[in-house]
Structures are given as C-alpha cells and as structure tokens.
Amino acid sequence: MHSKKFLTITFLTFFFSLSYFGAFTQVKQPLRIIMFGAHPDDCDMDGGGTAILFSKMGYAVKFVSVTNGDAGHQKQKGVVLAKRRLAEAKEAGRRFGVTYDVLDNHDGLLMPELAVRLQVIRKIREWKADLVFAPRPNDYHPDHRYTGVLVQDASFMVTVPNIVPEAPALKGNPVFVYFQDKFQKPNPFRPDIAIDISQVYDQKVDALDAHVSQVYEWLPWIGHYSEKVPSDTAARKSWLHSFSRVEITPEVRASLVKWYGKEHGEKVTYAEAFEICEYGSQPDDEERKRLFPMLRP
Ligand SMILES: [Zn+2]
C-alpha cells in the first residue's frame, strides 16, 4: 500500500494543495489602508473616493487628522471648534465607511517634532498598514507640509523595534503614497496611480457635506467665495458636488489611460491620483495592482 509511487502522489497532492491555498490566501489577503491629513477634512477631499472604493471591497481604512482643527473657522475657535470638528469627522467617517481618528495637536501650529513623529509611528503600526497616504512636503500650508514630513520621518522607523517599543514594529515596510496637489517647486506631482472614482463621487460629496464648518463656512470665508454658497441644505450640497470636482490634468489622464485602457481612461470624469513615495517599499506595476485592487478588471 505504502509504495514509493503512492507516497510520491500523496506528497505531490499535498504540495499542490498548499500552493493552491497559498495563492488563494495571497489574493484574498486583506489590505489595510491608513491616510494622514493635517486637518479633519484633508484625507476626505484628497483620497475620499479611493477610500470608499477600498471600503466597499471590504478593506479596512482609517483616516487620521494630525491636528484637531481648532483654528479653522472665522467665528469659532479652541475646544468648542475642536469638538464640533471631531463630531463632523466621525460623521464623515461613517459616510465614507472608514474609521476616523483626530490627534489632539493644535491646528496651524504643527511642527515636525519628535513627539508627533512617535504618534504617527504608533498609528501606522497599530493599524498594521500595507498602504500609507500623506500630503507631499511642499504644500502651501505648513500643517500639510509638516504632516508630509512627519509621515516621511516615520516611513523607515515603523520597522525599527527599538523605537516606540510598546507598539510592535512592522515586519515589512508599507508602501507610502502622496495625495495629488498643484505645487510645482521643487518638483511637480507625478500621478503614478490614478483611480476612477466616478461611481462613488456622489457618496464622496455626501461625506464631505458632513464637514459643515469647513465646506460651507470656513473655506468659502477664507477663499472669499461665501456669497456662492446657497443657504438651502439641498442646494448647497448640489453646489458642493460641482465645486469639489478636481480637474483632470493631462498627466492624470495619461495615468488613467495606462491603468484602465484607452477607451475607459479617456472617459473618466472624476479621479483621484497618487504618487509613490521614494521611501518605504517600492511596488512594481503588479504590486501596485495588488495594493489598488480596484485597478484589476
Ligand atoms: Zn488642511
């Protein structure tokens, strides 16, 4: 019975089962995504559509605001404003299908200092992130810029066990990506990845609508366009729908065509684009498709 042939067949069956199981688990391996913004509406605007797509596919997404937003209003401030914005962020998180953390650092006063770097390292490790999003460090707003620096400074340290030893270090370095921006110096944004968010754009606007203090009050006031915001609740959401649309640049269009093919890529009306950071793991195109499974047909 236990002939050599039988043992060989048994071994081969076992081996191929394992290989099949291995391949299966690799495809099914859940992705964990964390996005960092400086303020409790930044991830929402720059990566909200992509976050909805991840969430709809069953992947865990967390937004982290590195400041509490307590300076972002023309009439309110301090604890009152921070509490209002925390409530708005939690409601927006519910509408996006993500969990939302707000760190209690003051808005407008963020510095790329060690204490905040350690907070960022802890958040990435506790979330066991595969993919980390952040602003580029050449944004106009110092809080955005320093959030970019803080995440860059955490990008290698998340793998170093002796730093923040109470939060276990990650075994593999995540992939770090930047949100899109318009800044040209010292180098313009490069859309390595472009995601078609047309199917979820309505849901993105519905979630942005939760940030009443920002999208209908503060941003219009500081941007001198308050008179354009309708007072009626339904009318202002419809205004937000057209106002929030980000223009698709020729570079982003080329990236959409690369990832979705010419026919689909040229028709996309709403998109979010991301640049791969030089720090952290460096994914090839296959790995990029694994990390952004919405790109797989
Ligand atoms: Zn911001």
Side-chain angles (χ1 to χ4, degrees):
M1 184 68 188
H2 288 99
S3 66
K4 224 175 185 176
K5 194 174 169 192
F6 177 80
L7 282 175
T8 307
I9 289 169
T10 309
F11 172 77
L12 284 176
T13 309
F14 179 67
F15 177 78
F16 283 118
S17 305
L18 272 186
S19 307
Y20 176 75
F21 185 69
F24 181 75
T25 48
Q26 198 176 12
V27 170
K28 282 286 177 191
Q29 188 191 17
L31 294 167
R32 300 188 60 84
I33 297 101
I34 192 166
M35 297 190 179
F36 286 90
H39 308 112
D41 60 333
D42 291 356
C43 298
D44 317 49
M45 291 182 184
D46 297 337
T50 304
I52 293 169
L53 290 170
F54 275 123
S55 173
K56 279 185 183 298
M57 297 176 94
Y59 300 120
V61 185
K62 181 188 280 297
F63 287 179
V64 179
S65 174
V66 181
T67 78
N68 60 17
D70 63 356
H73 204 269
Q74 67 277 34
K75 289 180 181 159
Q76 297 176 311
K77 61 182 176 182
V79 177
V80 171
L81 180 57
K83 276 190 177 167
R84 184 183 181 198
R85 296 196 65 182
L86 179 62
E88 290 174 345
K90 295 286 181 191
E91 174 57 21
R94 195 185 64 74
R95 298 185 195 181
F96 278 114
V98 310
T99 55
Y100 213 129
D101 290 358
V102 176
L103 301 180
D104 201 16
N105 300 304
H106 288 301
D107 182 359
L109 302 174
L110 186 68
M111 293 296 290
E113 60 195 12
L114 184 58
V116 192
R117 186 201 300 169
L118 301 184
Q119 290 179 326
V120 170
I121 291 171
R122 194 173 283 115
K123 284 287 172 200
I124 295 172
R125 286 181 179 173
E126 285 172 354
W127 196 246
K128 297 183 172 62
D130 299 292
L131 197 50
V132 182
F133 293 70
R136 293 200 305 154
N138 52 332
D139 193 282
Y140 77 102
H141 194 304
D143 290 352
H144 298 175
R145 204 155 60 229
Y146 294 143
T147 297
V149 171
L150 286 157
V151 174
Q152 283 188 349
D153 287 353
S155 65
F156 169 64
M157 288 300 161
V158 293
T159 63
V160 178
N162 277 338
I163 305 300
V164 196
E166 68 277 15
L170 297 182
K171 299 222 165 39
N173 209 340
V175 169
F176 291 77
V177 302
Y178 297 120
F179 295 122
Q180 184 178 1
D181 62 57
K182 296 185 247 178
F183 303 100
Q184 300 295 309
K185 294 174 183 175
N187 57 297
F189 170 82
R190 189 189 64 215
D192 295 320
I193 306 277
I195 305 293
D196 175 7
I197 62 158
S198 308
Q199 298 295 319
V200 295
Y201 184 71
D202 289 353
Q203 188 179 339
K204 177 178 178 179
V205 173
D206 186 53
L208 290 177
D209 166 78
H211 293 286
V212 173
S213 72
Q214 302 302 295
V215 295
Y216 302 130
E217 297 174 13
W218 167 242
L219 295 173
W221 185 85
I222 194 77
H224 308 289
Y225 56 88
S226 294
E227 73 288 350
K228 290 186 184 159
V229 183
S231 48
D232 172 71
T233 314
R236 73 183 187 184
K237 199 195 264 192
S238 146
W239 165 82
L240 186 63
H241 194 279
S242 47
F243 189 78
S244 301
R245 184 182 168 189
V246 176
E247 191 205 341
I248 296 180
T249 64
E251 293 78 18
V252 171
R253 180 67 68 195
S255 185
L256 285 165
V257 167
K258 171 187 170 177
W259 291 107
Y260 291 90
K262 194 170 162 55
E263 195 184 346
H264 184 132
E266 282 181 350
K267 280 193 219 147
V268 173
T269 43
Y270 299 97
E272 286 171 353
F274 308 100
E275 175 176 336
I276 309 282
C277 171
E278 286 182 289
Y279 312 143
S281 289
Q282 297 300 296
D284 60 16
D285 277 2
E286 272 314 298
E287 179 65 358
R288 291 176 196 195
K289 280 191 207 163
R290 188 186 73 83
L291 290 167
F292 290 88
M294 59 289 276
L295 292 173
R296 285 203 290 263

